[in-house]
């Protein structure tokens, strides 16, 4: 590694004065014009991580559901998982180092992580469709090449596709071919195998309308449509030809505003879903016959999939337990429903046993079919990162196999009314949390204020958490009625504004 060459090139990717960024679960995210030095340095870091793990490492240029003007970057570890926490710290130190300290920080990281600098390094790169992404990807490449690494630039990919590429390369193709065609073939094969056994009455259950958030999902779904045309007809909206990325559309918009995105034509009881900008999130929704909007979020998606897996395991005669991991945002009704039937996580051991069962000749025909379904679902759903495309295919396959309409799926349980809001603050780091982000530790008095507000409403709870990427605080509230949930969310937002350094206008009701 030629440190003098790195120093010379680093000066061409100068760090803006006073800019401090934190690498979180979403990587780095901020305004695109502030990221050139970060991209170059993450190219350097990816080479070090590749040398240390003796594996291919991924670098994805995206800001997911953030506005089009933003961008970001995150590294992908050898098995397609998120970057190890200790290396998140290295990323933060390197990104924030002053120009004269870059060389020293690189050597410190190499020493702390026991990196063999003579080891070969290989990095794969992907990017989303933001106007800034191509140039920022080139900055990543500059960092890789100047530090002696080799690379392959996949160009435009969804974030989950890059995770897939990394996993495939590091398992020597055992997981699949490290190409977009390999990705399409793996998912479509499993989907077609599943749905060929499905009975579907009429066209309604075969049609799905997809809001692509004016992002990369539109491009990739267009490429993939022919692979699964036999079992699913999809219509794409917000494909990026006119609207801006994530503007008034996409999964985050629909979830936060609890209304359909602009640019999609919805008829009563039609299944619709939204991706986010890099296609790692999905949410379903529909209008009922009376024109009421119904949101089907991750909790109901998890419930549909886990209950179907449990049914298949019962058919096989296996006693493997299934569980669901939820975040603080999980609706209280979903938690109560899942606790009645789910116990522990679906483990790798269980996965291997299911694959063995699917091949067992001595199994009865019905059991073998159920085991084969489970194997296909694992192939569809076993992505290292959240994947809107694979999630969509799993959901559509299960609905077809069970003959469920979207209304019947929605009726599994009734969500408690809820509301999510955002509060702009001067510094998001003034808020720290505990108990899986459900309790505020700082600033003083905030949690006490939230607790007192929650006591005013029935079946209620509320919590706040700082964004990992921008100076906003996210507020979640639920209660026995939508009016109460809205009121509680607004009152908690006011408490955040007053106690945590809110900026701009004070939160207003109904916003």
């Amino acid at each position: 590694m030629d440190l003098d060459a790195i120093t010379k090139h680093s000066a061409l990717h100068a760090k803006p004065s006073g800019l401090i960024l934190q690498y979180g679960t979403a990587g780095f995210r901020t305004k695109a014009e502030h990221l050139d030095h970060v991209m170059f340095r993450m190219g350097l870091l990816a080479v070090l991580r590749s040398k240390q793990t003796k594996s291919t490492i991924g670098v994805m240029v995206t800001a997911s559901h953030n506005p089009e003007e933003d961008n970001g970057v995150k590294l992908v570890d050898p098995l397609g998982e998120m970057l190890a926490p200790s290396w998140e710290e290295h990323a933060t130190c390197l990104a924030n180092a002053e120009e004269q300290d870059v060389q020293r920080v690189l050597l410190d990281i190499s020493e702390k992580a026991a990196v063999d600098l003579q080891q070969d390094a290989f990095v794969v790169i992907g990017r989303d469709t933001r106007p800034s992404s191509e140039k920022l990807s080139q900055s990543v490449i500059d960092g890789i090449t100047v530090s002696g690494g080799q690379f392959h630039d996949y160009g435009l990919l969804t974030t989950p596709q890059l995770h897939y590429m990394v996993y495939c390369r590091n398992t020597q193709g055992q997981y699949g071919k490290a190409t977009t065609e390999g990705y399409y073939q793996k998912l479509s094969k499993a989907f077609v195998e599943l749905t060929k056994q499905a009975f579907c009455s009429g066209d309604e259950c075969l049609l799905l309308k997809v809001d692509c958030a004016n992002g990369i999902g539109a491009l990739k779904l267009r490429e993939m449509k022919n692979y699964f045309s036999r079992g699913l007809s999809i219509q794409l909206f917000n494909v990026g030809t006119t609207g801006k990325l994530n503007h008034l559309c996409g999964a985050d918009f629909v979830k936060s505003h609890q209304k359909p995105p602009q640019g999609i034509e919805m008829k009563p009881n039609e299944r619709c879903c939204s991706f986010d900008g890099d296609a790692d999130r999905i949410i379903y929704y529909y209008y009922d016959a009376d024109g009421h909007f119904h949101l089907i979020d991750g909790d109901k998606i998890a419930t549909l999939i886990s209950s179907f897996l449990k049914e298949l395991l019962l058919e096989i005669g296996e006693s493997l337990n299934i569980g669901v991991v939820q975040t603080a945002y999980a609706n209280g009704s979903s938690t109560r429903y899942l606790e009645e039937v789910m116990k522990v996580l679906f483990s790798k051991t269980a996965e291997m046993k299911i694959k063995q069962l699917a091949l067992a000749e001595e199994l009865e025909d019905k059991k073998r079919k159920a085991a084969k379904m489970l194997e296909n679902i694992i192939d569809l759903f076993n992505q290292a990162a959240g994947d809107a495309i694979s999630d969509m295919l799993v959901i559509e396959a299960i609905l077809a196999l069970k003959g469920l309409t979207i209304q019947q799926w929605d009726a599994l349980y009734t969500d408690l009314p809820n509301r999510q809001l955002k509060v702009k603050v001067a510094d998001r780091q003034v808020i720290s949390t505990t108990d899986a982000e459900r309790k505020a530790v700082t600033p003083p008095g905030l949690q006490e204020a939230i607790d007192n507000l929650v006591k005013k409403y029935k079946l209620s709870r509320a919590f706040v958490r700082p964004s990992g990427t921008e100076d906003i605080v996210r507020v979640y509230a639920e209660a026995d009625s939508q009016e109460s949930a809205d009121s509680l969310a607004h009152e908690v937002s006011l408490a955040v504004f007053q106690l945590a350094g809110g900026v701009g206008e004070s939160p207003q009701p109904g916003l």
Side-chain angles (χ1 to χ4, degrees):
M1 183 176 283
D2 188 339
L3 292 174
D4 290 335
I6 289 173
T7 299
K8 182 180 177 181
H9 278 77
S10 183
L12 303 175
H13 301 275
K15 173 181 173 291
S17 177
L19 180 65
I20 301 295
L21 296 172
Q22 177 77 35
Y23 193 106
T25 55
F28 291 114
R29 287 187 199 168
T30 189
K31 296 298 181 186
E33 61 265 26
H34 297 153
L35 281 169
D36 178 56
H37 75 291
V38 174
M39 298 294 177
F40 173 77
R41 296 178 186 189
M42 289 308 99
L44 302 177
L45 191 72
V47 167
L48 291 183
R49 183 62 170 159
S50 177
K51 289 175 180 288
Q52 193 235 12
T53 60
K54 299 180 175 61
S55 304
T56 296
I57 296 296
V59 179
M60 185 69 198
V61 178
T62 182
S64 190
H65 57 274
N66 279 37
E68 188 175 274
E69 296 75 20
D70 292 354
N71 216 319
V73 60
K74 57 183 175 182
L75 274 63
V76 180
D77 256 1
L79 296 182
E81 71 270 52
M82 295 189 300
L83 186 64
S86 61
W87 280 75
E88 289 184 5
E89 295 178 18
H90 296 328
T92 298
C93 289
L94 184 57
N96 293 327
E98 296 304 323
E99 199 60 48
Q100 66 272 16
D101 297 326
V102 169
Q103 203 176 107
R104 176 186 59 79
V105 172
L106 285 171
L107 289 174
D108 285 349
I109 293 169
S110 299
E111 184 178 341
K112 288 177 182 177
V115 178
D116 178 3
L117 295 178
Q118 303 307 310
Q119 175 69 35
D120 291 338
F122 196 85
V123 180
V124 292
I125 307 151
R127 69 177 189 270
D128 69 12
T129 55
R130 294 166 194 271
S132 59
S133 289
E134 186 170 6
K135 184 177 179 181
L136 291 174
S137 291
Q138 187 56 53
S139 298
V140 174
I141 292 171
D142 290 348
I144 296 168
T145 53
V146 75
S147 52
Q150 301 295 312
F151 71 92
H152 178 78
D153 183 6
Y154 279 101
L156 293 169
L157 287 181
T158 70
T159 294
Q161 284 178 331
L162 185 72
H163 285 256
Y164 167 86
M165 303 303 176
V166 173
Y167 193 15
C168 288
R169 284 176 176 269
N170 288 318
T171 53
Q172 291 71 51
Q174 291 183 26
Y175 186 68
K177 295 179 183 177
T179 62
T180 51
E181 289 79 11
Y183 171 90
Y184 299 147
Q185 289 167 359
K186 181 179 177 68
L187 295 190
S188 62
K189 179 182 177 183
F191 178 76
V192 171
E193 280 290 316
L194 274 170
T195 54
K196 72 180 182 182
Q197 303 176 60
F199 170 76
C200 217
S201 56
D203 295 333
E204 187 273 332
C205 66
L206 296 176
L207 174 65
L208 177 66
K209 294 185 172 181
V210 184
D211 158 34
C212 299
N214 292 314
I216 185 67
L219 177 63
K220 297 306 174 182
L221 275 180
R222 274 205 193 105
E223 292 176 358
M224 192 176 184
K225 277 175 73 172
N226 291 335
Y227 287 85
F228 53 71
S229 57
R230 170 181 170 179
L232 179 64
S233 173
I234 60 173
Q235 294 180 7
L236 306 183
F237 298 84
N238 296 321
V239 297
T241 52
T242 54
K244 290 179 65 175
L245 181 71
N246 295 322
H247 181 61
L248 303 177
C249 60
D252 192 58
F253 173 85
V254 175
K255 173 70 173 176
S256 299
H257 292 81
Q258 297 189 33
K259 65 180 182 181
Q262 289 192 2
I264 190 169
E265 303 166 6
M266 291 177 61
K267 296 177 182 177
N269 299 322
E270 282 186 333
R271 280 197 323 285
C272 304
C273 69
S274 286
F275 290 5
D276 68 343
D278 64 339
D280 66 354
R281 294 186 182 189
I282 188 171
I283 200 162
Y284 271 69
Y285 46 91
Y286 70 101
Y287 276 131
D288 65 22
D290 296 323
H292 297 131
F293 179 74
H294 293 256
L295 185 70
I296 299 182
D297 61 10
D299 297 326
K300 277 207 170 127
I301 292 172
T303 301
L304 176 74
I305 295 168
S306 56
S307 62
F308 184 67
L309 290 174
K310 183 167 185 176
E311 289 173 13
L312 292 180
L313 286 171
L314 287 173
E315 281 194 30
I316 295 171
E318 289 295 317
S319 58
L320 297 171
N321 291 318
I322 298 176
V324 176
V325 177
Q326 293 189 314
T327 70
Y329 288 101
N331 192 277
S333 290
S334 73
T335 304
R336 282 187 286 273
Y337 180 87
L338 287 167
E339 281 177 346
E340 297 175 3
V341 291
M342 304 303 164
K343 301 297 181 184
V344 297
L345 287 177
F346 193 75
S347 69
K348 275 285 178 186
T349 304
E351 176 187 329
M352 291 305 298
K353 187 161 187 179
I354 286 166
K355 286 184 176 290
Q356 293 166 4
L357 287 169
L359 298 173
E361 291 297 327
E362 67 274 12
L363 272 178
E364 299 171 23
D365 187 54
K366 186 176 180 182
K367 289 183 178 180
R368 188 162 56 247
K369 284 182 179 178
K372 188 63 179 176
M373 285 185 189
L374 277 167
E375 183 184 14
N376 286 323
I377 286 178
I378 289 169
D379 284 342
L380 269 177
F381 205 52
N382 193 21
Q383 297 292 311
D387 186 342
I389 293 176
S390 68
D391 290 355
M392 178 190 79
L393 294 177
V394 171
I395 291 163
E396 292 301 314
I398 293 174
L399 292 178
L401 285 163
K402 292 178 68 67
L404 288 177
T405 65
I406 194 165
Q407 303 95 314
Q408 291 168 326
W409 174 21
D410 190 25
L412 286 174
Y413 61 83
T414 302
D415 277 328
L416 282 170
N418 60 88
R419 178 65 63 195
Q420 292 188 42
L421 298 175
K422 300 176 183 178
V423 181
K424 291 184 179 180
V425 293
D427 181 8
R428 66 184 183 274
Q429 295 183 8
V430 302
I431 289 188
S432 60
T433 62
T434 187
D435 189 21
E437 298 187 314
R438 292 178 294 187
K439 298 288 184 183
V441 177
T442 59
L446 179 57
Q447 187 57 49
E448 183 181 359
I450 294 172
D451 291 341
N452 289 333
L453 291 169
V454 167
K455 291 176 184 176
K456 295 168 55 178
Y457 302 92
K458 295 178 181 178
L459 297 176
S460 64
R461 69 184 182 104
F463 65 89
V464 301
R465 57 173 288 269
S467 166
T469 57
E470 51 189 326
D471 284 323
I472 62 171
V473 176
R474 302 184 187 277
V475 174
Y476 178 87
E478 65 184 31
D480 65 334
S481 70
Q482 191 62 58
E483 183 181 4
S484 293
D486 291 346
S487 179
L488 176 57
H490 174 244
E491 291 182 321
V492 172
S493 297
L494 286 174
V496 170
F497 189 86
Q498 293 161 2
L499 297 172
V503 296
E505 291 187 13
S506 175
Q508 301 298 309
L511 296 178

